[in-house]
Amino acid sequence: MTTRNRTKLASVIGAVCATVLTLSSSAAHAATAESDHSETLAALKAFQAAAGPGAAVHAGNSSESWTLSAGTGTVNADRPIKADEHIRIGSQTKTFTAVVVLQLAEEGRVSLDAPIDDYLPGVVTGNGYDGTRITVRHLLQHTAGLGAYTPSPGLKTPPSNPDGTFSLSTVVRYALDASPPVSAPGEGFTYSNTDYYILGMLIEKLTGQPVHEAVTERVIEPLGLPHTLFPAPGDRALPTPAVNGYHGVRVGSFYLWVPATSYDPSLFSSAGAMVSTLEDLSAFYQALADGKVLSAKSLAEMRTARAVNTGTGYGLGLQTYEPSCGGTARGHSGGVPGYETFTLTMDDGRYVSIVTNVLVQVGQRPDAQLRQLLDTALCEDAPQRD
């Protein structure tokens, strides 16, 4: 054997050994995570059994992180969901949008307690709406009294542009016309995507940029979130590696999955268009909690929550949840065709981010199992309250 061939063989053997070691290390890490977090694994399996084809939880604290998966990210394949795979995050986009609005308030370019009509004259009007009585803060906290609106590709869809994209102004007009006010501004809580479409228009007006560019330049890039993006209108592709999303039917042990409907991201825009990973989402909310995104004053404004249900509340683009082990967890949920997500963080460094690859399904929604999974992941190593 020549020296050259021996060298090539040694390189091949080295590469094979490195691959085997990498695979062995990954398998060992997964096995360790499962044995160390058996309660969360049980909660994850219960959630996935009532949710989509697959589900995953990425959790940890200031010193360690771990990921568990159940089911599959691709139907008819054994493909566990990983924490670095791209997913559509739905309404977790709202927290990014709220951050930009609060940054603009810090810069003196908008007042949270000023009427939205001061910045977008004539936009919030008609069908009983009066933009002179609805403030920016009302929109951020879903207390503007706007009727709930959730777009559904091909069903509840506003008129599109010739290229199949949607303009924010058209979506806002369609949503306002679809539902009259449900309460006077400031009097009640009604979760409405329309609030955040209007805030997207506000960002575009004040920055002179499309909202996807403003969020990218002000939040995603400064934080160095490598797998997070706010797609431009027309950019329907989900970057690889990605978790496949589905629609489906689950009734007891029977289930049937079909690929989720394709749609243009501009249909959800500043209310729910973004793409990220469980790892990046955890990093974003931790950076927010650590004061790396907003001033202390703005963060306090964002965290000032209005009670929604027992143990839950809503601040300015930020949901609050009281886990069974005490304290307050903050983050946001999300849902768009093919994906349901939720991320929560706590000030002591604990965090959890989950995904299942279905949203629209026939059968009972797994809300109870989702809450149990979030609570178990946050609390398994924390003392329970008396």
Side-chain angles (χ1 to χ4, degrees):
M1 182 181 292
T2 66
T3 300
R4 180 182 178 186
N5 287 339
R6 281 196 296 269
T7 301
K8 290 175 64 178
L9 179 60
S11 299
V12 170
I13 292 173
V16 170
C17 289
T19 301
V20 170
L21 286 172
T22 300
L23 292 174
S24 299
S25 175
S26 298
H29 179 75
T32 300
E34 290 185 1
S35 62
D36 288 349
H37 306 284
S38 57
E39 291 182 16
T40 300
L41 179 61
L44 173 64
K45 289 180 176 179
F47 172 61
Q48 187 272 320
V57 54
H58 179 66
N61 53 43
S62 56
S63 60
E64 66 170 349
S65 64
W66 43 272
T67 305
L68 299 172
S69 182
T72 181
T74 302
V75 169
N76 298 323
D78 182 12
R79 187 170 169 270
I81 295 173
K82 299 178 181 179
D84 62 352
E85 291 183 302
H86 293 90
I87 55 178
R88 299 195 186 277
I89 68 172
S91 286
Q92 293 198 56
T93 302
K94 289 181 173 67
T95 309
F96 289 79
T97 299
V99 162
V100 174
V101 173
L102 288 164
Q103 288 177 343
L104 292 169
E106 290 177 0
E107 296 164 13
R109 299 166 74 177
V110 64
S111 169
L112 300 184
D113 296 309
I116 189 62
D117 200 68
D118 286 1
Y119 307 100
L120 299 172
V123 169
V124 184
T125 187
N127 201 20
Y129 290 106
D130 182 357
T132 67
R133 299 180 59 216
I134 295 171
T135 68
V136 175
R137 187 186 302 275
H138 288 150
L139 296 169
L140 285 165
Q141 199 162 34
H142 295 296
T143 56
L146 275 59
Y149 168 67
T150 300
S152 181
L155 296 175
K156 295 188 295 181
T157 306
S160 66
N161 299 319
D163 62 358
T165 63
F166 300 87
S167 65
L168 272 170
S169 59
T170 301
V171 176
V172 167
R173 187 68 264 157
Y174 180 89
L176 293 176
D177 289 343
S179 175
V182 294
S183 65
E187 289 190 1
F189 177 89
T190 300
Y191 187 90
S192 178
N193 290 305
T194 312
D195 293 323
Y196 277 75
Y197 288 130
I198 295 169
L199 291 170
M201 290 185 68
L202 175 67
I203 290 170
E204 293 192 342
K205 178 69 175 293
L206 296 179
T207 65
Q209 295 177 289
V211 66
H212 71 275
E213 290 183 4
V215 171
T216 299
E217 292 183 11
R218 286 172 165 269
V219 185
I220 299 172
E221 291 177 348
L223 288 179
L225 302 174
H227 306 297
T228 299
L229 66 152
F230 194 139
D235 184 6
R236 297 188 176 206
L238 193 60
T240 57
V243 177
N244 293 306
Y246 297 90
H247 300 307
V249 176
R250 184 188 283 281
V251 181
S253 60
F254 173 80
Y255 55 85
L256 174 67
W257 310 118
V258 296
T261 303
S262 175
Y263 61 87
D264 193 87
S266 58
L267 179 60
F268 291 89
S269 191
S270 46
M274 287 180 60
V275 171
S276 189
T277 66
L278 298 181
E279 288 180 340
D280 269 16
L281 287 169
S282 300
F284 165 66
Y285 285 101
Q286 286 176 298
L288 181 61
D290 291 342
K292 298 177 181 178
V293 183
L294 294 170
S295 68
K297 181 178 182 294
S298 293
L299 183 59
E301 293 261 28
M302 194 177 204
R303 288 179 159 200
T304 302
R306 178 186 182 121
V308 176
N309 294 305
T310 303
T312 65
Y314 202 94
L316 306 185
L318 204 59
Q319 295 174 340
T320 63
Y321 167 75
E322 296 178 4
S324 61
C325 49
T328 301
R330 299 177 177 89
H332 214 288
S333 58
V336 285
Y339 304 88
E340 183 173 5
T341 66
F342 212 131
T343 304
L344 290 170
T345 58
M346 301 187 71
D347 286 346
D348 62 6
R350 283 178 288 160
Y351 63 89
V352 57
S353 189
I354 66 97
V355 65
T356 185
N357 51 346
V358 73
L359 179 66
V360 178
Q361 64 182 56
V362 178
Q364 186 175 1
R365 285 181 52 81
D367 295 335
Q369 294 91 334
L370 171 60
R371 288 191 297 271
Q372 183 62 42
L373 174 57
L374 292 167
D375 195 82
T376 304
L378 287 172
C379 294
E380 64 172 16
D381 296 323
Q384 297 293 310
R385 290 186 293 185
D386 294 332

